[in-house]
Amino acid sequence: MNNLTDKVLDALIIGAGFNGIYQLHRLRELGFRVRILDAAADLGGVWYWNCYPGARVDSHVPNYEFSIEAVWQDWNWTEKFPGWDELRRYFTHVDEKLGLSPDIEFNSRVTRAEFDQSRNEWLVGCDDGRIFRTRFLIPCTGFAAKSYTPDFKGLDSFSGPCYHTAHWPQQGYDMTGQRVGVIGTGASGVQVIQEAANIAAELTVFQRTPILALAMQQQQLDVATQTVLKQDYPENFRKRRTAGSSFFDIEADKRSALAVTEEEREAIFEAAWQKGGFHFWAGTFSDILTNADSNQLAYAFWREKTRMRITNPATADILAPRLAPHPFGTKRPSLEQWYYEVFNQDNVSLIDLRQDPIVQITEHGIHTGSTQIDLDLLVLATGFDAGTGGLTQIDIQGTTGKSLKETWADGVDTHLGIAVPGFPNMLMLYGPQSPTAFCNGPTCAEIQGEWVVECLQYLRRRQLQRIETTEDQARHWTRHVQEVADGTLLPLADSWYMGANIPGKHRQLLNYPGVQSYMEQCRLCALNDYEGFRFA
Ligand code: N01
């Protein structure tokens, strides 16, 4: 690598989403020399790229924001589940409050990083040729930095615009009066489908697996209400850091769904349903994600609630089948607002790809086994190479002669989801084998992020220049994550939680369920002088 910048940074952060900017803010406060590099033109991480119509967060206010008082004190949301444009305005507000931008290099995609053993420094290269030197590398690439486009035959031959939801044009795209096709019915698909159905001349939805979407129960928020709610924010944020639930302030009944009467069960299911959001996922009974019989009961409730909204029984069989396609909640449920009603509209058609697969994408649209559907716009809501893709798309070379991508070819091993053996001085946040999607961006940024901040202070106090985990330790953590997974129904779904949405990707749980247990293990590690790490 050439073109070295003259000064060595203490820490270089990749990514200006929640995790990256929290690191920048805290490390800078503590006097570290630190910078962020981000491929985007602005702050926001996923909220910069995912600007498709309807993109919206699934954590309710105030769980998807920083707990920094100077930031929340004079910020008010307009909706309980804010949309991408409001989230972007929030990031601008954060920038105004914390003065982040001067230390961020935008439009700077990191393409490679190499550890220089002689100096215990990373050399980090950008697509424009610049190279940065840093003692510590802190990738905050998020879980969804690498989109996934299936290898559809003929995809390149489609003559109209074709957008993956994560690469929606920044200037927007008007679907009004168009013939729109959407492939994929995960969270992104659900959101774009709801919007397209309102304005497209024809909308065709290509579904492979039904999403078990939950009622969002969206609410408008005004300033007066939030002024009152803000009295509880300090307590809300304290709970967010310490609560037993992985899902913010949502707590499940400690009993099994099987241990109560049918009436009581229905009442608890119904109450959670009415609360909306993730309450029906995480806030009913303690064993929904661990006991197959309890899970079936939750599915049956969801199915009946959903089917009653769909007028055509054949369509209902595709969207909410009699038999669960996978245990309820083992794929991340999307939150929906009017998703199921969309399929009652005359301008909307649903193709069940299990019955009628895509044979080829043609110049004018999509050819399935039974029909040709002509389209003006093709939307790929086909997801992400989640957890690992954002990291492995960078050529990261540690000390073993193998890149991170090669190192993880047969599966991910990390210590605490933060460190990888053979990659000294690299501390990942919101990465694989940490809570990530069983937590959320700002929460992880603060609780996991603070652990990294303290670790760097520890190293500084002791004048240590190198921290590295061991292979034994990383294998141990992988075994532990596996054991946790085996105690749940999560491995039974072909989900991105399991890496199972990407053909050929090693199947393992990439998100650690249980924020509290995770943080306790982080705490003990630090308390025991960073057990499982070696220093120099
Ligand atoms: O991606 P997904 P996503 N042929 O992987 C289908 C977060 N997010 O972008 O289920 C046909 O969930 C695939 O089908 P199947 C959120 O955490 C959050 O929607 O594999 N179809 C599936 O339907 C979310 O969970 C928000 O059978 C194919 C879809 O594409 C995560 O990001 C908003 C296919 C992919 O769904 C990912 O969501 C948006 C093929 N070959 C996203 N390959 C919020 O609300 C894949 N599919 C915060």
Side-chain angles (χ1 to χ4, degrees):
M1 288 191 180
N2 49 22
N3 185 25
L4 290 168
T5 51
D6 49 349
K7 290 193 187 119
V8 185
L9 295 165
D10 295 319
L12 188 142
I13 298 158
I14 311 176
F18 278 108
N19 284 269
I21 64 183
Y22 187 78
Q23 285 298 303
L24 172 61
H25 168 62
R26 289 286 292 121
L27 291 176
R28 213 176 47 175
E29 256 183 356
L30 294 165
F32 288 94
R33 275 174 49 81
V34 54
R35 272 190 108 63
I36 297 183
L37 301 179
D38 195 301
D42 208 343
L43 293 167
V46 288
W47 299 108
Y48 177 83
W49 300 106
N50 288 263
C51 58
Y52 58 85
R56 185 174 294 290
V57 72
D58 55 13
S59 305
H60 56 272
V61 168
N63 291 300
Y64 202 71
E65 61 184 287
F66 286 125
S67 69
I68 302 165
E69 187 165 352
V71 174
W72 62 255
Q73 195 57 259
D74 57 353
W75 175 260
N76 291 291
W77 302 96
T78 63
E79 292 179 307
K80 185 174 175 184
F81 295 92
W84 68 270
D85 41 356
E86 185 159 28
L87 280 154
R88 276 211 192 165
R89 290 196 293 279
Y90 173 73
F91 277 101
T92 304
H93 169 77
V94 174
D95 195 13
E96 280 163 14
K97 290 286 165 183
L98 304 182
L100 304 163
S101 288
D103 288 314
I104 304 177
E105 308 281 333
F106 293 112
N107 302 303
S108 302
R109 178 175 292 281
V110 174
T111 53
R112 62 219 164 104
E114 193 183 300
F115 190 69
D116 176 351
Q117 296 234 52
S118 63
R119 292 166 179 264
N120 286 328
E121 287 167 13
W122 282 95
L123 305 181
V124 180
C126 282
D127 53 358
D128 59 9
R130 277 175 307 158
I131 292 170
F132 294 80
R133 285 168 54 192
T134 179
R135 172 77 65 216
F136 297 103
L137 178 63
I138 308 185
C140 298
T141 46
F143 82 97
K146 186 177 179 202
S147 59
Y148 167 60
T149 296
D151 189 14
F152 292 118
K153 190 175 167 201
L155 182 59
D156 289 343
S157 65
F158 182 64
S159 60
C162 171
Y163 300 125
H164 190 285
T165 43
H167 303 289
W168 200 263
Q170 289 293 319
Q171 70 278 15
Y173 180 88
D174 186 4
M175 299 186 281
T176 306
Q178 300 235 310
R179 295 168 302 174
V180 178
V182 180
I183 304 177
T185 54
S188 306
V190 164
Q191 293 177 337
V192 79
I193 287 163
Q194 290 182 139
E195 302 301 320
N198 285 343
I199 53 176
E202 292 167 21
L203 168 65
T204 309
V205 175
F206 298 85
Q207 173 195 286
R208 187 165 70 180
T209 307
I211 181 132
L212 314 184
L214 302 177
M216 177 181 280
Q217 314 286 20
Q218 175 69 295
Q219 285 171 25
Q220 305 303 304
L221 295 176
D222 59 29
V223 175
T225 311
Q226 283 171 87
T227 304
V228 176
L229 290 177
K230 278 180 184 178
Q231 290 167 14
D232 296 331
Y233 274 22
E235 179 59 10
N236 291 150
F237 292 131
R238 192 195 61 75
K239 272 196 193 151
R240 183 171 84 170
R241 278 192 290 275
T242 56
S245 162
S246 291
F247 295 98
F248 342 121
D249 49 357
I250 302 175
E251 292 226 28
D253 192 302
K254 299 263 180 300
R255 293 170 295 175
S256 162
L258 305 171
V260 297
T261 64
E262 194 177 339
E263 291 71 30
E264 199 175 352
R265 186 164 55 237
E266 290 290 300
I268 287 175
F269 279 158
E270 182 63 32
W273 191 268
Q274 293 310 329
K275 282 186 190 159
F278 283 156
H279 282 90
F280 188 73
W281 187 26
T284 59
F285 296 96
S286 60
D287 62 347
I288 294 296
L289 290 178
T290 54
N291 181 312
D293 294 331
S294 298
N295 189 281
Q296 286 274 5
L297 294 167
Y299 180 74
F301 184 93
W302 173 87
R303 181 187 60 210
E304 296 318 310
K305 277 279 185 200
T306 302
R307 288 181 73 94
M308 66 175 65
R309 295 165 59 188
I310 307 163
T311 49
N312 180 337
T315 306
D317 284 343
I318 301 171
L319 292 166
R322 298 275 162 208
L323 289 179
H326 44 262
F328 169 79
T330 52
K331 277 189 171 186
R332 191 180 178 89
S334 172
L335 303 187
E336 57 80 32
Q337 293 168 277
W338 56 88
Y339 181 64
Y340 293 104
E341 283 75 12
V342 156
F343 297 93
N344 301 332
Q345 294 179 203
D346 291 340
N347 66 333
V348 179
S349 314
L350 175 64
I351 307 277
D352 178 0
L353 295 179
R354 304 259 176 207
Q355 300 299 323
D356 194 10
I358 294 172
V359 173
Q360 186 169 4
I361 300 192
T362 63
E363 184 182 354
H364 298 295
I366 294 184
H367 187 57
T368 69
S370 73
T371 184
Q372 163 76 26
I373 295 132
D374 287 343
L375 302 170
D376 301 312
L377 168 69
L378 176 55
V379 180
L380 302 172
T382 44
F384 300 90
D385 181 356
T388 54
L391 294 156
T392 56
Q393 70 183 351
I394 304 170
D395 180 17
I396 305 180
Q397 302 281 346
T399 56
T400 61
K402 276 182 169 181
S403 68
L404 188 64
K405 185 178 182 180
E406 289 162 342
T407 306
W408 283 351
D410 298 322
V412 170
D413 290 321
T414 71
H415 183 28
L416 298 169
I418 291 177
V420 185
F423 295 82
N425 290 4
M426 183 177 91
L427 300 169
M428 306 175 291
L429 282 163
Y430 213 54
Q433 297 192 322
S434 75
T436 312
F438 291 118
C439 191
N440 71 20
T443 311
C444 255
E446 294 186 353
I447 59 177
Q448 192 192 30
E450 206 53 41
W451 189 93
V452 167
V453 169
E454 281 170 21
C455 177
L456 294 193
Q457 288 177 275
Y458 176 95
L459 297 171
R460 183 168 67 179
R461 277 197 302 276
R462 286 165 179 72
Q463 297 187 328
L464 297 167
Q465 298 192 343
R466 178 163 163 153
I467 179 170
E468 186 174 9
T469 191
T470 63
E471 289 195 6
D472 277 355
Q473 189 63 42
R475 273 197 295 271
H476 172 76
W477 184 251
T478 298
R479 273 197 304 278
H480 170 63
V481 178
Q482 178 70 41
E483 280 163 18
V484 174
D486 289 345
T488 72
L489 303 171
L490 293 165
L492 300 179
D494 291 336
S495 64
W496 59 262
Y497 287 155
M498 296 295 303
N501 64 322
I502 304 295
K505 188 166 174 175
H506 183 80
R507 191 182 179 106
Q508 66 182 130
L509 186 60
L510 289 169
N511 295 262
Y512 187 96
V515 180
Q516 280 323 300
S517 146
Y518 173 80
M519 286 313 303
E520 178 59 11
Q521 292 174 80
C522 287
R523 193 184 69 81
L524 290 175
C525 166
L527 203 65
N528 293 318
D529 280 322
Y530 294 89
E531 194 174 4
F533 288 96
R534 289 191 301 232
F535 303 100

